[in-house]
Amino acid sequence: MNKDFSMYTTNYLNGVMSLRRPQKESIEILKNILKCVYPSKNMDLKKALHQVNELYPTCTDFEREFMSLSFILATGVGKTRLMGAFITYLYTKYGLKNFFVVAPGTTVFNKLRKDLGDPANPKYVFKGIGCFNNPPQIISNEDYKDRNISLLESEVKIFVYNISKFDKENVKIRAVNEYLGDSFFNQLSQMEDLVMIMDEAHHYHGDKGALALNEIKPILGLELTATPYYNKGSKQLQFKNAVYEYPLSESIKDGYTRTPFAVTRKDVNFYNFGDDMLDQIMLQDGVTCHENIKQHLEVFAENNSVKKIKPFMMVVCKDTEHATKIYEYITSKVFRNGSYYNKTLIIHSNQSKAKREGNIQLLLDVESADNPIEIVIHVDMLKEGWDVNNLYTIVPLRTAASKILREQMIGRGLRLPYGERVGETEIDSVMLTAHDKFEELLREAQKGESIFKAGNVIQIEKMEKIEVATTQMNLELIDDEIGNTCNLLKLECSSENTKFIKKTQEFIQDSIVKQLTKPENQKENFITGMIVKEVANSINEDKDLSKVFEANRFPLMEWLQDKTEEYTVKTLEKFIPIPLITITDHGMAEYKFVNFDLDTSEFNHVPIKNELLIQNLENMKSISNIKGGYIDFDGYNPKKILIGQLREKPEIDYEQCSDLLFKLVSQVVSHYEKLYGQNGMQNIIMMNKKDIADKIYNQMMREEHFYHSVGLIDEQIIDLKRRNLATKYNYTYQKNLYEEFEGSIGQTLFTGICKGVFDKAKFDSQPELIFARVIERDGDVNNWLRPNPKEFNLYYDNGKRYEPDFVVETDDAIYLVEVKGEDKLNHPDVLAKKERAINYCRISTSWGKANGYKQWKYLFIPAGQIYSNSSFLNLAARFEHL
């Protein structure tokens, strides 16, 4: 290899490819195995298996005539990206250049070709990887017949094929090719560095599939699947070559997928219902969930200026007759007044080929917002490779209740539409109607490996109808002196003319507010002409108004333009101006650790006795030992030794967290000294220093104990955003700001806001509501804002969007305000936000002083310190952070 790939360590790949935990752990396992066992043609498989088994005892048999390792990863974790990481690692570390990727069917085959071979594809796995002179070359179908195949410029070749292309004796790839001088199959089998990667590997553990793979003779097999078992006759067998397993329950817990919720009805014994009645109840309840999430997704997309996700519901039936019956019910006027007549798709094997193919195309395109389908009815489990991110509701009707089938159904609805959880329960969930299986699900939820949690239950009766409202600006622009306007325009003060003046002013105000508060207009210069044109169109749509307008076009058009400019200036004055920051130097990422106490329950080492083993070299069965006391470690400094071990960890900056390190190692020392005395403690730490340091490090690296900070970041203000974004809210209840609310505060929309930029808002807690009441009536507050999620284009802690709770403006300053419960004041996420906000206020203040704008200040207010009789300036004086 000519290039220097020394930087391509597993840690480097983790960073540059943004690998998730199971992907990181998988590539580390491959690294550990290849350190001990290097694969090659005709290797000693028995010896290799013994070495792999010592490292990973779950691997008891390669199950093939070559070394093959299975990685069991839950659906939605990212198996294709892991393939890309494997290929990159094996190429840069070992110079391997030929990879044979096996797919079980057409859908997976097409997906793999795009993800591995199309740099324009958003899911292209090698994006950002700089080790290849040219992108890896994809060879599939009959590409091998190309006379130039041996002259491909790409160093790395990835052969992507369905197993059906080579598991039969008479397939074309086994025939001699005139350009190759041999069969493509034989050429593959003679490659000295061919690595086979098997997607959905459970398809290739049957005798026929396994035999075909053996004949290709790769040096190494890497198997990926979420299903670590296969059928052999009437038996279901588990993989024997698994070296790693990451179950669905772990994936859900780690946040790589959506969370499944079980939906049921309270106090109803469903065994009293017939099959048809139970089907209808489950369908009605499923559609209620579907319509609920559809509304949440629409609001989220509008508030965050992201793509709109159209959800759909999947109905699983027991057979084709049952599916047809359900289809007829859903598309009838009896079901939701016929609103799903043209929005329902049925797929089963008894359909004509043309109809089935057309329906499958609709199914494959079901993610598109233009696709009308919102309900999919099917019988067989949909095959692998059908990876959609908008399945939100699953209704299993009279289907098998096994845990495996349930996980397969739920697995289709776990992918995150925005690539990560967004923090809204409805958008981060998938709903399973479980009326007749509810008790079984609850029993399952008590088990640690279950994908369900006992608390993740939704009672359909409590799913109240959601309303939607968009915030409006608090403006008083309209001139009541209509008579003066008529005189100014030299118009008769007739009822027709006065109506025209009043109505046109309303049109102008509404149009200005709508245009100024649209997220998509925030980066554009405001064009008065656009408003004038829109108002003129509204006038022309009204017969009476258009008549007045046409009769007096010259003075009215000039007045319309002047009034639009006047109202625009007044509207802009109502907004709180937001400085826009750009990053000129991204600085250096640092880990910052919060203060915490060590959990010593996992520190369970015991002192090692001083025993000398004596082996009889003539008789290997004869072993004796000399027993002694504990080893004497007088003068040994255990704290210093542990600190030294921890300082070697790349994430730990000793200068930044020396106090925490001394505290944690002192807690370990005290723990062992209390149990075994000083000499026993020293013995333990001397003999287990690396393991003890790793345990301390692992606790430090828990999500609740650290956050990413960017040191030496260089930012500057590039502009001032003079407009604020309106927010669309879902709500169940509506109350005046000063009224007592009922139900959940998160479901309540508060109206009647006068001093704020907008007239309504929602709050996350009672202290936030109290604070809003304080600033609404405080004489020192000029204006305040409950910011839209995209109001501040600021990010913290490795890419999280910063969304402050409030922005408050007084005569002298503008304040960013966070209201936090006392139990969260030292949470890493809160501290990371605080650091980001303080830096933003510092830069904004510096720029403001130079350009004649107000200073910015950051308030971090403990929730328990906010009272109804608080004054804003008192809170500001007490809780300002510099």
Side-chain angles (χ1 to χ4, degrees), residues 187-206:
Q187 286 241 323
L188 287 173
S189 66
Q190 292 167 18
M191 289 181 176
E192 295 292 332
D193 67 343
L194 186 68
V195 175
M196 181 175 289
I197 301 176
M198 292 156 266
D199 196 14
E200 308 295 352
H202 52 282
H203 288 283
Y204 324 125
H205 273 255

Side-chain angles (χ1 to χ4, degrees), residues 199-347:
D199 196 14
E200 308 295 352
H202 52 282
H203 288 283
Y204 324 125
H205 273 255
D207 292 337
K208 190 175 181 182
L211 182 62
L213 299 181
N214 288 335
E215 291 179 358
I216 295 181
K217 301 177 184 177
I219 63 170
L220 173 66
L222 301 173
E223 305 183 19
L224 301 171
T225 184
T227 311
Y229 44 80
Y230 59 97
N231 294 324
K232 190 166 186 177
S234 60
K235 293 182 179 180
Q236 190 174 72
L237 304 178
Q238 281 202 321
F239 284 17
K240 295 178 182 178
N241 61 346
V243 292
Y244 180 68
E245 184 165 5
Y246 184 77
L248 197 52
S249 55
E250 283 291 303
S251 178
I252 293 168
K253 186 175 76 173
D254 288 345
Y256 297 136
T257 61
R258 286 189 259 142
T259 302
F261 278 75
V263 179
T264 190
R265 283 182 173 266
K266 188 177 181 181
D267 300 328
V268 177
N269 186 345
F270 292 100
Y271 293 102
N272 294 323
F273 293 86
D275 287 344
D276 290 346
M277 180 61 72
L278 181 57
D279 285 351
Q280 291 177 16
I281 291 173
M282 290 180 70
L283 289 168
Q284 292 284 356
D285 291 348
V287 166
T288 298
C289 293
H290 166 72
E291 291 173 348
N292 177 282
I293 187 59
K294 184 178 179 182
Q295 195 129 302
H296 278 281
L297 285 165
E298 287 177 358
V299 170
F300 180 82
E302 184 162 332
N303 285 339
N304 293 275
S305 300
V306 292
K307 67 177 181 179
K308 181 180 175 182
I309 302 297
K310 180 214 67 177
F312 76 97
M313 179 174 95
M314 184 170 74
V315 182
V316 187
C317 297
K318 66 174 184 175
D319 54 38
T320 56
E321 183 181 347
H322 185 209
T324 301
K325 188 175 183 180
I326 294 302
Y327 176 78
E328 290 171 351
Y329 171 66
I330 290 177
T331 55
S332 70
K333 288 199 174 290
V334 176
F335 187 80
R336 289 296 207 263
N337 297 318
S339 57
Y340 289 92
Y341 175 74
N342 291 318
K343 300 178 182 178
T344 304
L345 182 69
I346 181 171
I347 295 181

Side-chain angles (χ1 to χ4, degrees), residues 115 202 237 354 356 451 489 583 611 648-649 741 747 795 815 847 861:
D115 291 354
H202 52 282
L237 304 178
R356 183 175 173 81
I451 63 172
L489 297 175
I583 298 175
E611 295 185 351
E648 293 179 5
K649 306 295 184 182
F741 65 91
Q747 295 176 310
Y795 296 88
Y815 297 82
W847 182 84
I861 308 177

Side-chain angles (χ1 to χ4, degrees), residues 585-601:
D585 186 340
H586 287 269
M588 184 183 301
E590 300 173 350
Y591 286 80
K592 288 201 174 176
F593 298 92
V594 301
N595 189 30
F596 72 96
D597 290 314
L598 211 59
D599 176 8
T600 56
S601 63

